[in-house]
Amino acid sequence: MTTELDQLVATLDGLRAGVLKKLAGLNETDARRSTVDSGTNVAGLIQHLTFVESLWFEEIVAGGTATRGKRTMQVEPGLSLRTLRAEYKAACAASNEIIAKLADPEAPVTRNGKTHNLRWAILAVIGETSRHAGHADIIREQVDGTTGR
């Protein structure tokens, strides 16, 4: 990959790690606990970001179908944190493989009939992941007082 792609992926990987860190140490109940009117919770953020990875890289970039995660922040009670974590990590690994295969930030990506490039797609996921990492920071602090990266 190019140096630019290496830097973009490193930034995205750092954000991904930060989101997973917010899940670490929470029990099943607290991970699903919402402290905001929207119902957003840390487990739901992981589920949603799994969907984001799949949508952007497996579907939009690679032309397949998004099959991982769910858009919603509401996690089914039977879905364990271990499974949520594993699915997110698998989605991120699949995303990184797609990026590495294209290996060019200028590789064309088409969405809604408009042609963009791989850089555009990666930056979209960086934006989405960073926003939700911030949400996870706040919710985690409200749930049990844990702060920091």
Side-chain angles (χ1 to χ4, degrees), residues 60 108-117 120:
I60 295 170
V109 172
T110 303
R111 182 169 193 208
N112 299 327
K114 293 183 180 180
T115 301
H116 304 279
N117 57 36
W120 167 83

Side-chain angles (χ1 to χ4, degrees), residues 11-22:
T11 298
L12 185 52
D13 281 343
L15 291 167
R16 291 164 171 163
V19 169
L20 285 171
K21 187 175 179 187
K22 291 303 168 183

Side-chain angles (χ1 to χ4, degrees), residues 33-41 45 72-74 132 135 139:
R33 189 170 139 212
S34 178
T35 58
V36 294
D37 291 342
S38 68
T40 301
N41 58 79
L45 288 165
T72 180
M73 301 278 180
Q74 302 310 309
H132 291 315
H135 298 144
I139 292 169

Side-chain angles (χ1 to χ4, degrees), residues 3-126:
T3 301
E4 178 185 0
L5 281 182
D6 286 338
Q7 291 172 347
L8 289 169
V9 171
T11 298
L12 185 52
D13 281 343
L15 291 167
R16 291 164 171 163
V19 169
L20 285 171
K21 187 175 179 187
K22 291 303 168 183
L23 186 63
L26 287 175
N27 62 38
E28 298 284 341
T29 301
D30 284 343
R32 289 169 168 78
R33 189 170 139 212
S34 178
T35 58
V36 294
D37 291 342
S38 68
T40 301
N41 58 79
V42 178
L45 288 165
I46 300 294
Q47 175 176 265
H48 175 73
L49 286 170
T50 301
F51 170 77
V52 167
E53 292 277 345
S54 184
L55 174 69
W56 276 94
F57 293 111
E58 294 177 49
E59 184 170 314
I60 295 170
V61 173
T65 302
T67 60
R68 303 171 195 261
K70 292 184 179 179
R71 185 182 300 265
T72 180
M73 301 278 180
Q74 302 310 309
V75 179
E76 294 181 21
L79 188 58
S80 72
L81 297 182
R82 175 174 282 161
T83 299
L84 279 172
R85 188 180 295 106
E87 288 179 355
Y88 183 57
K89 287 179 177 180
C92 295
S95 298
N96 285 353
E97 287 176 22
I98 291 165
I99 293 167
K101 184 177 179 181
L102 291 175
D104 179 3
E106 291 298 324
V109 172
T110 303
R111 182 169 193 208
N112 299 327
K114 293 183 180 180
T115 301
H116 304 279
N117 57 36
L118 179 58
R119 177 187 306 105
W120 167 83
I122 296 169
L123 288 170
V125 178
I126 286 172

